[in-house]
């Protein structure tokens, strides 16, 4: 008999304790004891085991400890103060410490040593009641826009396994989109929440700078560009996550996000940007998706109008140099920052190329850093009179695996990344909130997303828009009426 065709998609959804629920619905069923934490945790582990050979989204598993935690939760009487997401399974990205689990930052240069403590943001996330099943994959140190580590299998997009899942939170996005868990941790230094959310058809919100607790790496940066958060399949999961995170820690300098259940009747003035300032035109499919979203917003009563890119024209070069600075810092200070046995001889081609780029251009850093810090003020000025700005997430649709591999010669790879990651870094430098929403589809069955950037502390406005678009034009998910599958087998569509 001829060999069966290779699978094209990967969906782990099935009729088990997890079902098709998002985290909010699953948390309700857990509270009402329709299912036990152990049943839900075991279902997520089973889904992970069958999806992992196709997706490669799990960096390190901790299933035995997770099941022990689940059984312990089931053995306790129901207290009045149960955390909102008590018992909901998740994964934490492999650049964030969880006590007892390894942290390797997606790199062969970092030994697989178990952490002795839990990072501040991981504590803020786990305090909501999530059960951590292990670590999700990322490219080396989160520098790339695809999760294709040079030393390990690529993380594949569950919508089409021949394509990238995005990065740097690619493992989390692949696992959530495929239905292994309803939400997963993500963080974002240049688009690393929004890019994989865009590639995998998810909601990805990067909060305002300092909205949530920072992990250790952010404190050492001359300009903190890193935001923490999650990727989810529903807007309400992201909204409820932020509300619960503020109960653990709230930055009182920012307006509270608070409770949100759906869109308001408020009419907004929204700017529109179709092409980035790096000189590259957005591809046609992405452009049409953004324009269609603008028309939907106008139909809902909002005002949408083109505006100039709200930042200095030197921004692409300045941010690229800062990106290179981070690679230089890792290679020079890895033993101090990451692990005493850090081996910089094991870093990949992208990290090495960025390091070399910084060494050639380091003299530009003072002026570039000054302009990047000024971008907060420039952006605030440009946003006066606007509630949000609508842009693409990426310069073109999701690439095939290999296009952005760290094995591609550096000059070619660097130019490809500059064309691809041309919209997301602005929110990181300015500290503004930004959200990615899946609003289109390619002929290859891949999601196409749009981005909304808000005023500082404007998460409620972004969620308001997201709720409205989700209700008006619901995005597809990988599960469907015929996704039943045999127990222990991932459901796939043949190529």
């Amino acid at each position: 008999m001829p060999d069966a065709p290779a699978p094209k998609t990967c969906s782990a959804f099935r009729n088990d304790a997890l079902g098709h629920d998002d985290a909010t619905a699953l948390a309700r069923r857990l509270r009402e004891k329709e299912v036990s934490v152990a049943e839900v945790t075991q279902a997520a582990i089973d889904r992970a085991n069958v999806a992992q050979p196709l997706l490669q989204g799990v960096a390190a598993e901790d299933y035995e400890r997770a099941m022990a935690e689940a059984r312990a939760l089931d053995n306790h009487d129901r207290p009045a103060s149960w955390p909102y997401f008590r018992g909901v399974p998740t994964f934490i990205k492999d650049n964030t410490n969880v006590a007892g689990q390894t942290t390797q930052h997606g790199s062969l240069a970092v030994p697989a040593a178990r952490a002795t403590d839990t990072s501040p943001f991981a504590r803020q996330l786990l305090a909501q009641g999530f059960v951590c099943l292990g670590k999700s994959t990322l490219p080396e140190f989160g520098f790339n826009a695809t999760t294709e580590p040079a030393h390990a299998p690529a993380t594949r997009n569950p919508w089409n396994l021949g394509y990238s899942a995005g990065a740097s939170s690619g493992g989390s996005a692949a696992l959530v989109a495929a239905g292994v868990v309803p939400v997963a941790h993500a963080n974002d230094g240049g688009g690393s929440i929004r890019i994989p959310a865009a590639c995998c058809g998810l909601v990805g919100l990067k909060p305002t700078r300092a909205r949530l607790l920072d992990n250790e790496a952010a404190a050492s940066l001359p300009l903190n560009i890193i935001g923490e958060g999650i990727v989810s399949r529903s807007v309400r999961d992201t909204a409820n996550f932020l509300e619960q995170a503020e109960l653990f820690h709230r930055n009182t300098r920012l307006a509270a996000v608070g409770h949100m259940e759906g869109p308001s009747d408020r009419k907004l003035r929204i700017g529109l940007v179709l092409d980035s300032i790096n000189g590259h035109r957005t591809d046609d499919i992405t452009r049409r998706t953004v324009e269609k979203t603008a028309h939907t917003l106008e139909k809902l009563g909002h005002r949408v109008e083109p505006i100039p890119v709200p930042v200095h024209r030197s921004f692409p070069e300045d941010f690229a140099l800062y990106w290179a600075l981070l690679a230089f810092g890792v290679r020079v200070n890895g033993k101090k920052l990451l692990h005493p046995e850090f081996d910089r001889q094991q870093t990949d081609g992208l990290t090495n190329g960025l390091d070399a780029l910084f060494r050639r251009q380091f003299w530009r850093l003072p002026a570039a850093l000054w302009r990047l810090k000024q971008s907060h003020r420039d952006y605030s000025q440009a946003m006066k009179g606007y509630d949000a700005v609508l842009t693409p997430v990426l310069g073109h649709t999701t690439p095939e695996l290999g296009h952005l591999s760290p094995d591609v010669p550096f000059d070619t790879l660097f130019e490809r990344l500059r064309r691809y990651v041309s919209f997301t870094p602005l929110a990181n430098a300015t500290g503004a909130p930004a959200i990615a929403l899946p609003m289109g589809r390619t002929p290859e069955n891949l999601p196409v997303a749009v981005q909304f950037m808000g005023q500082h502390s404007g998460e409620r406005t972004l969620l308001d828009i997201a709720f409205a678009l989700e209700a008006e034009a619901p995005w597809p998910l990988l599960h469907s009426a015929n996704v039943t599958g045999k127990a222990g087998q991932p459901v796939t569509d043949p190529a």
Side-chain angles (χ1 to χ4, degrees):
M1 292 180 62
D3 292 338
K8 188 174 183 180
T9 65
C10 176
S11 170
F13 290 98
R14 61 198 65 250
N15 296 324
D16 56 15
L18 282 171
H20 296 171
D21 285 341
D22 64 359
T24 299
L26 183 60
R28 179 195 59 77
R29 289 201 296 125
L30 284 161
R31 284 193 299 274
E32 295 177 0
K33 297 194 175 182
E34 293 179 12
V35 289
S36 70
V37 181
E39 289 172 327
V40 165
T41 303
Q42 187 62 61
I45 292 170
D46 291 344
R47 291 186 181 194
N49 282 333
V50 297
Q52 175 65 2
L54 290 175
L55 292 183
Q56 297 293 333
V58 179
E61 61 184 54
D62 196 16
Y63 301 156
E64 185 175 339
R65 185 215 52 80
M67 280 304 303
E69 179 183 348
R71 287 189 288 267
L73 288 171
D74 284 331
N75 288 334
H76 283 83
D77 292 335
R78 177 174 177 174
S81 59
W82 265 9
Y84 186 87
F85 289 112
R86 179 187 182 274
V88 174
T90 194
F91 282 86
I92 289 180
K93 189 174 172 182
D94 192 28
N95 61 359
T96 299
N97 283 348
V98 175
Q101 298 185 17
T102 58
T103 306
Q104 284 196 272
H105 299 269
S107 176
L108 196 61
V110 182
R114 295 189 182 277
T116 58
D117 61 350
T118 298
S119 295
F121 175 77
R123 292 198 298 270
Q124 188 172 21
L125 182 142
L126 294 174
Q128 299 184 38
F130 291 105
V131 175
C132 179
L133 303 184
K135 295 297 191 68
S136 60
T137 54
L138 72 156
E140 184 167 272
F141 310 120
F143 291 150
N144 208 341
T146 186
T147 306
E148 300 180 51
H151 66 285
T155 299
R156 296 177 178 272
N157 193 314
W159 289 93
N160 189 323
L161 296 170
Y163 285 76
S164 170
S168 64
S169 308
S172 288
L175 293 168
V176 172
V180 175
V181 291
V183 300
H185 168 227
N187 48 29
D188 191 319
S192 293
I193 293 173
R194 291 158 288 156
I195 293 170
C199 293
C200 294
L202 302 175
V203 178
L205 172 66
K206 184 203 82 68
T208 302
R209 181 156 46 223
R211 164 75 68 190
L212 303 177
L213 289 175
D214 290 322
N215 283 332
E216 296 84 347
S220 64
L221 297 177
L223 173 63
N224 180 13
I225 59 173
I226 301 173
E228 301 288 339
I230 61 168
V231 286
S232 68
R233 296 192 297 265
S234 68
V235 176
R236 68 178 183 176
D237 277 0
T238 291
N240 289 335
F241 162 78
L242 284 176
E243 179 188 11
Q244 297 303 311
E246 287 188 325
L247 298 180
F248 182 86
H249 164 81
R250 186 184 155 217
N251 184 343
T252 56
R253 292 174 296 161
L254 302 176
V257 175
H259 183 66
M260 295 187 70
E261 292 185 338
S264 70
D265 295 328
R266 181 182 169 207
K267 303 307 176 187
L268 305 173
R269 186 184 183 198
I270 300 171
L272 174 65
V273 174
L274 288 170
D275 296 308
S276 73
I277 58 174
N278 65 9
H280 302 302
R281 189 179 188 274
T282 301
D283 79 338
D284 289 342
I285 293 177
T286 304
R287 193 181 195 89
R288 288 197 298 270
T289 301
V290 176
E291 290 172 337
K292 182 178 178 182
T293 303
H295 293 322
T296 301
L297 291 167
E298 289 174 332
K299 186 174 80 169
L300 293 172
H302 303 298
R303 179 179 174 185
V304 182
E305 57 190 60
I307 63 168
V309 179
V311 74
H312 194 278
R313 294 200 64 83
S314 66
F315 180 82
E317 288 72 29
D318 292 342
F319 194 88
L321 183 63
Y322 193 75
W323 177 29
L325 166 67
L326 301 183
F328 168 80
V330 166
R331 294 199 80 235
V332 170
N333 297 311
K335 290 182 182 293
K336 179 180 178 181
L337 295 174
L338 300 174
H339 193 278
E341 296 179 20
F342 174 84
D343 182 4
R344 68 177 185 174
Q345 300 304 315
Q346 298 291 337
T347 52
D348 71 17
L350 177 57
T351 302
N352 297 342
L354 289 169
D355 175 31
L357 174 65
F358 179 76
R359 292 173 188 270
R360 292 193 303 270
Q361 299 187 15
F362 71 91
W363 55 272
R364 291 184 45 236
L365 182 63
L369 186 57
W370 182 85
R371 287 190 294 268
L372 288 173
K373 290 182 176 180
Q374 287 293 108
S375 68
H376 179 285
R377 186 190 67 180
D378 295 342
Y379 179 83
S380 295
Q381 286 292 116
M383 286 294 290
K384 286 184 177 179
Y386 291 93
D387 300 292
V389 175
L390 167 63
T391 79
V393 176
L394 293 157
H396 59 77
T397 56
T398 304
E400 292 184 90
L401 291 169
H403 181 73
L404 299 176
S405 165
D407 294 330
V408 172
F410 176 74
D411 289 346
T412 300
L413 175 58
F414 188 66
E415 180 59 22
R416 288 177 178 178
L417 286 167
R418 284 166 61 88
R419 287 176 176 268
Y420 186 50
V421 186
S422 50
F423 292 93
T424 53
L426 180 58
N428 299 88
T430 63
I435 192 169
L437 300 173
M439 297 299 296
R441 189 78 37 192
T442 74
E444 297 78 22
N445 193 40
L446 292 162
V448 182
V450 304
Q451 173 180 244
F452 290 91
M453 298 176 61
Q455 295 185 357
H456 293 99
S457 197
E459 282 88 340
R460 284 189 67 91
T461 297
L462 297 185
L463 290 168
D464 196 351
I465 294 169
F467 272 121
L469 289 174
E470 184 182 39
E472 182 70 18
W475 40 83
L477 301 173
L478 267 171
H479 67 71
S480 62
N482 64 349
V483 175
T484 54
K486 296 181 180 178
Q489 294 181 355
V491 178
T492 59
D493 296 328

